[in-house]
Amino acid sequence: MGPFVPELISDQLNLVVALVLGIGFGVALEQAGFSSSRRLAGVFYGYDFTVLRVFFTAAVTAMSGVLLLGYFGFLDTGAIFVNPTWLMPAIVGGAIMGVGFVLGGYCPGTSVCAAAIGKIDAMFFVGGGLLGVLTFGEAYPVCRGFYESTSLGPIKVFDSLGISQGMFAFLLIAVAVGAFSLTTMIEKRVNRKSAPSLGFTARKHMIAALGVVALGIILLFLPDRKVHLIDKVSDPAYLSAHPAKLMSVDELAFRIVDHEPRIQLIDIRPPVAYNRFSLPGSTNIPVVDFFGKDWVTMFSRRHVKKVILAESETQEHAALLLLQELGYENLAILQGGLDGFSATILNPPAVIPTSTRWDKDVIRFRQSARTEILEAIEKGKQGGSKEIKKEKKIQGGC
Amino acid sequence: MNTKYMNPYLAGFFLGMVLLATIFITGRGLGASGAIKNIVVATVDGVVPSHAENSPFYSMYVGPGKDAPLKSWLVFEVAGVVIGAFLSGLVSDRLKIVTEAGPRVGIRLRWAFAAVGGALFGIGAQFARGCTSGAALSGMAVLSTAGFVTMLAIFGTGYAVAYVARKLWL
């Protein structure tokens, strides 16, 4: 599952990856015609909308790809860098850049590209950019307050607008296709002849537009993977059709006391409940964390039986089916849930009717298990807070 | 030699796939202004290290425990852009030392405005935490609010001031 930084790709190798991807970026920008300031500036005067076409097509392509890869579980969308929002600085910074675009005819990426093929004006633009950063760096103490203002964190645009992710993706595609046809008409008027040749016929463009709109409709109805899978495994009919392997409370107690290395207890309760009380050796992984990359290694150990713990058996069952949907094996749930475990082992009723010899043995076992497990819990509490391993967060942005 | 540009939608699709590959492999987006910033930071640190150390801005990027500013992802990526653009220009026969200007603008005036535009981008990209590539395009791909706000601010302002600056281009 992507992304492959930092697990599979080291920081050193990542720099090589950066160079290779940068070459791709440079080829794409240059081939698009972004190495020409007159072409770039054309978007503001209506004689050449190349910028708008390339930019929107690229944004729609990458966005759709991220959504589809995330839906099919190839990309951990929780691990990728989402540019955090500082609202006012983004607006003011964007406005300053907008003026810079019209006056300079480039943006930083395109200026580097144009300078690389010999455009002297682009070299001046890059030089100006260096001076601009220096100016900002020197003035930073003065504008720091504003720079750090209105910090909203890594918020998503569809949440800001109060619509679903799929709806936003669809609307963006609809706006893009609409803008493509509108700007083509504007271009024809401004240039008083047919627009710059695009190399393909209008008919081919129509077919491509239909394909893109179809993609938008798919994205509109593409449910969020998490929501979709959680809904699926929460359906009582689905639960009864897919029984789970049960582990009895006595077996679990025995294995805990025995320090059995081939079981892994996975406690799916909220962290608050887990911190109040948990079984020795258990790890707290709420269901929402099943989807990320953080626990893949633990879930993937095939020879270790993963026993899921929650208050009730139904919650455990749903979590087990979810892990199965995500492709993990060797799973079991605790019969009767943690409530059952407490009622039978940890806090048994004072008087238990006994009739046979077998019953007496069971009671003796449960009593000794109770003592040992309570001791282990106590010891765990004294050991301080449980350590939760967090993966290194990916850094990004300019 | 084919000196014509690629169909813009095809080029956009290609650019989008490069961006998608970047996000898929590295978990982050593409950028450009960050590399310019790193070059400035490295220069200041090299020329007046004491100033870099004491400045609240430069000290965010240099200091003990931090990698050298030139050993950053974006510097390597932009080095790739230079190589990629050069190769593309070579293949399409567009390598030429030339100044491109609007029909009514002299070469020196064009240079001056290019430098001013670059400086404005240098300043604006700090406030917006990225430029058209790093903030707008990459931000839009991951549906970040900042990406869309920055994109609208750049192009909205561009259209608002285009009339005033029309003599530069028309």
Side-chain angles (χ1 to χ4, degrees), chain A residues 2-5 9 12 14-15 17-19 21-33 36-39 41 43-45 47 49-51 53-55 57-59 61-63 65-67 69 74-75 80-87 89-91 93-109 112-113 116-121 124-125 128-130 132-134 136-138 140-141 143-144 146-148 155-158 160 165 168 172 180 184 197-198 200 205 394-398, chain B residues 4-28 30-34 36-37 39-40 44 51 55-58 60-61 71-74 76-86 88-89 92 94-103 110-111 113-146 148-151 153-155 157-159 161-163 165-166 168-170:
Chain A
F4 305 116
V5 174
I9 297 177
Q12 305 287 330
N14 200 8
L15 295 179
V17 171
L19 188 77
L21 289 166
I23 292 176
F25 189 27
V27 170
L29 289 177
E30 210 289 323
Q31 283 297 318
S36 159
S37 52
R38 287 201 67 194
R39 246 174 115 86
V43 74
F44 297 114
Y45 299 97
Y47 61 79
F49 282 102
T50 304
V51 171
R53 295 190 181 107
V54 177
F55 190 84
T57 311
T61 303
M63 173 200 72
V66 169
L67 294 181
L69 288 174
F74 295 121
L75 178 67
I80 62 178
F81 176 79
V82 175
N83 308 50
T85 300
W86 282 268
L87 190 60
I91 294 172
I96 296 172
M97 290 191 273
V99 177
F101 211 152
V102 172
L103 297 184
Y106 292 108
C107 62
V112 168
C113 193
I117 65 158
K119 296 277 168 66
I120 301 170
D121 46 329
F124 275 92
F125 187 97
L130 294 168
V133 177
L134 189 69
F136 181 87
E138 295 310 314
Y140 181 68
C143 41
R144 186 177 185 172
F146 177 67
Y147 176 77
E148 285 167 355
I155 50 171
K156 299 285 192 96
V157 64
F158 51 90
S160 303
Q165 181 178 283
F168 183 82
L172 184 70
F180 293 156
T184 305
S197 162
L198 298 173
F200 291 108
H205 279 108
I394 294 171
Q395 297 294 308
C398 269
Chain B
K4 251 177 57 183
Y5 295 113
M6 195 189 272
N7 171 287
Y9 303 110
L10 201 59
F13 177 72
F14 178 41
L15 177 57
M17 291 308 280
V18 173
L19 178 56
L20 179 61
T22 308
I23 295 170
F24 180 60
I25 297 170
T26 71
R28 52 166 302 149
L30 295 164
S33 59
I36 294 178
K37 177 182 75 192
I39 291 169
V40 172
V44 171
H51 179 58
S55 149
F57 179 69
Y58 303 110
M60 287 196 283
Y61 310 102
K71 212 190 128 193
S72 83
W73 199 92
L74 283 170
F76 277 73
E77 182 237 74
V78 167
V81 171
V82 173
I83 299 170
F86 180 83
S88 163
S92 299
R94 283 194 285 264
L95 296 181
K96 199 177 175 192
I97 304 285
V98 65
T99 293
E100 196 183 15
R110 170 70 190 123
W111 287 352
F113 273 105
V116 169
L120 290 173
F121 255 102
I123 295 166
Q126 303 315 309
F127 282 114
R129 274 82 173 173
C131 56
T132 333
S133 329
L137 182 59
S138 299
M140 285 166 73
V142 293
L143 295 174
S144 140
T145 301
F148 285 90
V149 170
T150 310
M151 182 272 294
I154 293 176
F155 287 101
T157 315
Y159 280 107
V161 301
Y163 183 77
R166 67 192 182 283
L168 291 174
W169 302 107
L170 295 178

Side-chain angles (χ1 to χ4, degrees), chain A residues 43 46-50 52-53 175-198 200-203 205-206 209, chain B residues 7-9 159:
Chain A
V43 74
Y47 61 79
D48 191 327
F49 282 102
T50 304
L52 179 122
R53 295 190 181 107
V175 169
V177 172
F180 293 156
S181 23
L182 183 70
T183 52
T184 305
M185 290 194 291
I186 296 175
E187 227 170 40
K188 278 182 188 163
R189 277 197 147 181
V190 171
N191 294 322
R192 291 197 191 82
K193 54 177 165 61
S194 66
S197 162
L198 298 173
F200 291 108
T201 60
R203 198 185 147 81
H205 279 108
M206 289 287 279
Chain B
N7 171 287
Y9 303 110
Y159 280 107

